[in-house]
Amino acid sequence: MSAVAYTTPDGIAEAVERAASARHLLVALDFDGTLAPLVDEPMSARMLPAAREALTRLAQAPETTVALVSGRTLEHLAEISEREPDSRIHLAGSHGAEFWHPGARADSESDDDAALRDDLTARAEQMVEGIAGAWIEHKRFGFGLHTRLADRTSAADAAARIDELVRAEAPMWRRRTGQDILEFASRHEGKDSAVRSLRERVGADVVVFAGDDVTDEDALRSLGAGDVGIRVGGGESVAAYRVPDAAALAEMLGRLAEARAGE
Ligand SMILES: O=P(O)(O)OC[C@H]1O[C@H](O[C@H]2O[C@H](CO)[C@@H](O)[C@H](O)[C@H]2O)[C@H](O)[C@@H](O)[C@@H]1O
């Protein structure tokens, strides 16, 4: 297996400089594994303090928009990102199927497929009962099978059962894999459409997007030549830049915040 090649300090400086010189900059970021280290209990995940500070400063900088673009439901994303009522950070949840914009009151849309979602979620829960370390997360447009705490054989067993259920009952649902998670959703939006929508909404000429996971590659693939795509950690990626972990990304965002504020 070849070693992962991280971007050199000069490469990082070049990316920061390019993003900082945008007329209007959109900084769109995945949450889990990108701003917040991965943890066993999803609702206890929190941004690194350095990442939080950088985002706060970026959101206050002129002609700069910050957004979190996550697979989390909007409700969970608001909670774990500790959104304040006057937050200037846009949220895109459920992989781009729901949005919250600063100043808005209502959080999200209803799910037309709620009956099917509830039925399949309950059946999925029954199917993984007794599989150690496997559990089902309820999501607005579907559900996710978590296997972070399961051994590999149990994880594969649980995934095979859930795959069979959805193939039989909801073959039109979108299937996604992630960090020890297998997710299904009735909605097919992706992080690519979320970034596109945010870019148009704020009129950004440059987008910075960073992510650590397969679903983030949708957004990274959708970036243009003038944008800055960053992969956090290992794994295959189309991103032009790569940093080792959430701490390294937080440092890069801190430098971008300084440059954008003209410091
Ligand atoms: O798009 P993201 O913001 O990266 O969200 C992807 C999924 O994140 C959560 O699961 C992942 O993070 C958990 C907390 O660190 C971890 O326990 C789990 O193994 C990871 O898969 C979340 O629970 C999912 O709903 C998101 O889709």
Side-chain angles (χ1 to χ4, degrees):
M1 206 167 63
S2 58
V4 176
Y6 297 115
T7 305
T8 62
D10 281 354
I12 296 290
E14 182 267 335
V16 168
E17 194 182 316
R18 188 141 53 83
S21 63
R23 182 185 42 74
H24 190 108
L25 176 65
L26 167 63
V27 182
L29 304 159
D30 168 53
F31 189 86
D32 293 282
T34 297
L35 295 171
L38 295 171
V39 292
D40 292 342
E41 164 42 52
M43 291 313 291
S44 68
R46 290 293 179 273
M47 271 187 244
L48 290 174
R52 167 173 295 286
E53 192 187 322
L55 294 199
T56 302
R57 294 179 67 195
L58 277 167
Q60 288 166 351
E63 292 294 326
T64 307
T65 301
V66 178
L68 304 182
V69 180
S70 172
R72 301 278 191 150
T73 64
L74 207 46
E75 189 188 351
H76 285 180
L77 185 59
E79 182 178 334
I80 59 174
S81 68
E82 298 173 295
R83 182 187 63 191
E84 302 287 348
D86 61 349
S87 171
R88 300 168 72 149
I89 298 178
H90 298 244
L91 303 183
S94 297
H95 300 287
E98 43 179 2
F99 289 87
W100 176 84
H101 300 293
R105 282 184 60 208
D107 261 0
S108 61
E109 309 172 23
S110 61
D111 179 6
D112 294 341
D113 258 344
L116 180 59
R117 176 202 64 196
D118 291 347
D119 176 50
L120 292 187
T121 304
R123 288 166 68 184
E125 278 181 326
Q126 280 169 10
M127 282 180 150
V128 301
E129 241 174 45
I131 301 184
W135 63 277
I136 300 293
E137 178 180 348
H138 292 224
K139 304 196 74 163
R140 185 170 301 279
F141 301 109
F143 65 86
L145 164 67
H146 282 271
T147 52
R148 172 166 296 276
L149 299 174
D151 63 46
R152 293 306 87 194
T153 309
S154 303
D157 178 20
R161 293 186 199 191
I162 300 300
D163 262 333
E164 194 182 328
L165 171 71
V166 181
R167 207 167 28 239
E169 304 294 339
M172 71 302 272
W173 280 19
R174 183 164 175 182
R175 179 186 193 274
R176 290 186 175 90
T177 54
Q179 310 272 18
D180 299 302
I181 188 169
L182 172 62
E183 290 187 58
F184 293 92
S186 58
R187 297 282 291 262
H188 284 224
E189 289 92 336
K191 293 187 179 183
D192 48 348
S193 59
V195 168
R196 205 173 303 125
S197 159
L198 288 161
R199 185 201 293 269
E200 281 168 16
R201 182 181 179 97
V202 302
D205 57 327
V206 177
V207 173
V208 170
F209 182 89
D212 73 314
D213 208 347
V214 182
T215 60
D216 300 314
E217 292 298 315
D218 287 344
L220 290 167
R221 265 192 301 275
S222 75
L223 298 182
D227 297 328
V228 176
I230 307 159
R231 174 78 177 208
V232 178
E236 276 189 31
S237 180
V238 298
Y241 302 93
R242 192 187 284 267
V243 295
D245 52 27
L249 180 72
E251 190 186 331
M252 185 176 175
L253 293 172
R255 290 169 61 184
L256 178 58
E258 273 174 25
R260 201 61 188 160
E263 292 166 12

